Amino acid sequence: MLNRENARTFNASLKAEITKLTNQKVKVEIVNSYKFPNCYVRVHAESEFNNDFKLMVFDACGYSRKDLLNTDDVSYGNIQSKNIAVKVIQWENLFNKTN
């Protein structure tokens, strides 16, 4: 589970969970950490994220799949092939659904 005690512990717990889920190294960056937990968290992948993971993040954000041009290659706003940036609550939604 993700630890929301402070920005640093959230960063470490998110990194561990994403690494476990995707089997690749990632870098986690909290954007405007002084606003934590109401801030964006950007994750950079070593290689591209697989489409299933991007769809999971897309669904956790509460977006409608009707808005996607191509569900076989998700590229939507802050959800890109090597970078994903969503809010803390959206990362928590993702891992609450997967656990």
Side-chain angles (χ1 to χ4, degrees), residues 36-75:
F36 185 82
N38 189 23
C39 61
Y40 280 87
V41 180
R42 184 178 301 126
V43 177
H44 305 279
E46 191 174 63
S47 61
E48 291 187 358
F49 287 113
N50 67 28
N51 197 57
D52 293 335
F53 180 71
K54 292 189 290 184
L55 271 174
M56 288 171 43
V57 174
F58 183 85
D59 292 338
C61 291
Y63 302 135
S64 171
R65 287 198 180 185
K66 292 186 295 184
D67 296 336
L68 286 175
L69 296 175
N70 182 2
T71 56
D72 296 326
D73 184 25
V74 176
S75 179

Side-chain angles (χ1 to χ4, degrees), residues 17-26 49-50 53:
E17 290 292 327
I18 292 175
T19 299
K20 186 175 13 172
L21 190 62
T22 64
N23 294 321
Q24 67 175 324
K25 290 184 178 182
V26 294
F49 287 113
N50 67 28
F53 180 71

